[in-house]
Amino acid sequence: QRCQQLQSWAAVPLFLAADIEEGVGQRFAGATWFPPPMAIAHICHDNFKQAKAHARTMGAITAQEALAVGLNWVLGPVVDVNNNPDNPVINVRAFGDDPATVEALATAFIEGARAYPVLTAAKHFPGHGDTAIDSHLELPTVHHDRDRLESIEFPPFEAAIEAGVDSIMSAHLLVPSLDPHRPATLSPKILTALLRQDLGFDGIIVTDALVMGAIAQTYGTGEAAVMAVEAGADVLMMPLDPAEAVEAVCAAVKAGRIPLETIHQSLERIWRGK
């Protein structure tokens, strides 16, 4: 009721989003809570067609129930390839440990959800599967070269873009082969040069939560927000202090650090989504 009330007050529609990768019941009591995506991946070993059907149904029911509780942005699916058994943060949230399985099931989820007026989000770009550190706590480093990333980590994102995913969420990762200095969330080389230009994605780029230790501990609230916008993010998720983040971005625009055209381009993508 509160979600619907807030939406009714808004002259421009609000984005109301939640991490509901396993269905709305993952966050809201009484709704459907599915087994984790990796359970569907396990079915793939015996019945690929059935697994895809399950993933598509999961996407459709998640979208339906999201609308019922007033949400219009499903922060899923996870399209990371979880090929590191020590991964403490992706783990069973992934659709599998090989790119082909992840591509097939994640795109089926997106197709199921796209039948309803909700947005989807492929995450966490450029790929959080092969890490052994939780980015909620500190910054992981992925040491693979570009060729390896293009063969394992990138294909599920490319498939999601082809399937019409509405948004892509950045990962709080340092990937030296792509940018030796800035984590992906704050990197123009990764969000603009790679995701926008090389992969051709023109939807919404949203950061992972900026309150997470991988970003907040090093960059703080204001600087992280400004660097994320500079990098190419359209939506800043959960800064530690939202008011400080807004003020920092406004100050950066006034000072000429962030071109006003950058803000206009983000607003255009957000408006299309809404």
Side-chain angles (χ1 to χ4, degrees), residues 47-59:
N47 192 326
F48 180 76
K49 187 175 180 181
Q50 184 185 51
K52 280 197 70 171
H54 284 330
R56 189 175 291 108
T57 300
M58 182 180 177

Side-chain angles (χ1 to χ4, degrees), residues 11-269:
V12 176
L14 303 174
F15 280 152
L16 293 169
D19 280 316
I20 43 177
E21 304 157 4
E22 297 176 13
V24 177
Q26 181 181 3
R27 303 294 182 191
F28 300 91
T32 305
W33 193 347
F34 292 97
M38 194 172 282
I40 298 179
H42 190 69
I43 296 170
C44 256
H45 300 317
D46 299 318
N47 192 326
F48 180 76
K49 187 175 180 181
Q50 184 185 51
K52 280 197 70 171
H54 284 330
R56 189 175 291 108
T57 300
M58 182 180 177
I61 291 174
T62 300
Q64 287 175 304
E65 294 188 356
L67 290 171
V69 299
L71 303 175
N72 55 21
W73 194 358
V74 175
L75 297 179
V78 171
V79 302
D80 301 313
V81 180
N82 193 79
N83 51 16
N84 186 332
D86 294 326
N87 196 318
V89 64
I90 302 303
N91 206 282
V92 297
R93 297 164 63 194
F95 276 112
D97 56 9
D98 68 276
T101 300
V102 175
E103 281 184 46
L105 299 182
T107 55
F109 181 99
I110 292 166
E111 289 163 3
R114 278 180 62 80
Y116 301 90
V118 300
L119 303 184
T120 51
K123 57 192 194 184
H124 307 79
F125 188 81
H128 207 320
D130 196 359
T131 60
I133 291 174
D134 186 346
S135 53
H136 291 87
L137 306 176
E138 49 189 310
L139 182 66
T141 298
V142 174
H143 292 289
H144 299 307
D145 62 22
R146 177 75 181 246
D147 287 346
R148 146 65 197 242
L149 294 168
E150 288 180 348
S151 65
I152 302 293
E153 276 75 17
F154 294 173
F157 289 98
E158 294 171 307
I161 292 169
E162 184 69 24
V165 74
D166 303 284
S167 61
I168 291 180
M169 180 180 287
S170 67
H172 300 334
L173 301 171
L174 187 67
V175 189
S177 64
L178 302 178
D179 188 334
H181 305 296
R182 292 188 176 197
T185 294
L186 309 180
S187 170
K189 293 180 180 178
I190 294 175
L191 297 190
T192 297
L194 174 56
L195 182 53
R196 287 265 183 247
Q197 296 170 4
D198 293 354
L199 301 188
F201 180 64
D202 193 36
I204 297 165
I205 295 178
V206 55
T207 71
D208 205 347
L210 295 175
V211 71
M212 291 163 61
I215 298 297
Q217 288 177 10
T218 302
Y219 299 94
T221 297
E223 184 63 14
V226 172
M227 291 176 71
V229 174
E230 285 183 313
D234 302 302
V235 175
L236 309 182
M237 185 73 71
M238 288 179 66
L240 191 61
D241 182 334
E244 182 183 338
V246 170
E247 289 168 6
V249 172
C250 290
V253 172
K254 289 175 183 174
R257 179 176 172 184
I258 296 174
L260 192 58
E261 180 60 24
T262 297
I263 303 297
H264 288 160
Q265 289 171 354
S266 288
L267 288 175
E268 175 63 28
R269 295 186 192 101

